[in-house]
Amino acid sequence: MSTIAEAAPQTHDTLVRLDAAGKPLAIRHDGQIWLVDPDTDSQHWYGRDAWWDTRRTAAVGSGDLVSIEYWRLQVRLDSTSALRTVTLRRDPLSTQWLLEDISDGGETAQN
């Protein structure tokens, strides 16, 4: 299956609905609501921000400044539409989710 990369996502339009445990249920992006497919496995992990490159400073006690949260999910618009793979990212101390990439099917391409 070939992967078709789309134009860079508009990160300011990305809202994520979470369940009580913090797992994404749905994503609103570019005026559409994508439902997370409950029959597929979601991947969740943390990366580290290179804070020394960004030269961010913060007051003592500001919290975790380096953990970047990621989710890779299979989503669809409705029960008959094709699956898409999305990767979400939330930077340290942010409440806003960013759509890092989106692709067709089970393969992900970086935008």
Side-chain angles (χ1 to χ4, degrees), residues 4-83:
I4 301 171
E6 293 186 355
Q10 296 178 6
T11 56
H12 63 277
D13 288 338
T14 304
L15 300 173
V16 180
R17 183 175 185 181
L18 305 172
D19 68 11
K23 181 178 179 181
L25 297 171
I27 301 164
R28 178 183 289 272
H29 174 69
D30 203 22
Q32 297 182 306
I33 296 176
W34 296 85
L35 303 175
V36 176
D37 188 321
D39 298 327
T40 60
D41 289 328
S42 300
Q43 297 174 347
H44 184 225
W45 72 95
Y46 288 87
R48 294 287 184 221
D49 185 28
W51 59 268
W52 53 88
D53 288 337
T54 61
R55 301 189 196 283
R56 283 188 289 187
T57 60
V60 172
S62 294
D64 183 350
L65 300 177
V66 297
S67 295
I68 302 171
E69 184 175 8
Y70 292 93
W71 281 94
R72 181 163 296 136
L73 310 159
Q74 300 290 307
V75 298
R76 60 177 80 227
L77 289 173
D78 57 48
S79 61
T80 61
S81 67
L83 279 174

Side-chain angles (χ1 to χ4, degrees), residues 1 3 72 74 83-85 103-108:
M1 174 183 278
T3 300
R72 181 163 296 136
Q74 300 290 307
L83 279 174
R84 307 288 303 270
T85 300
S103 67
D104 65 341
E107 298 185 25
T108 304

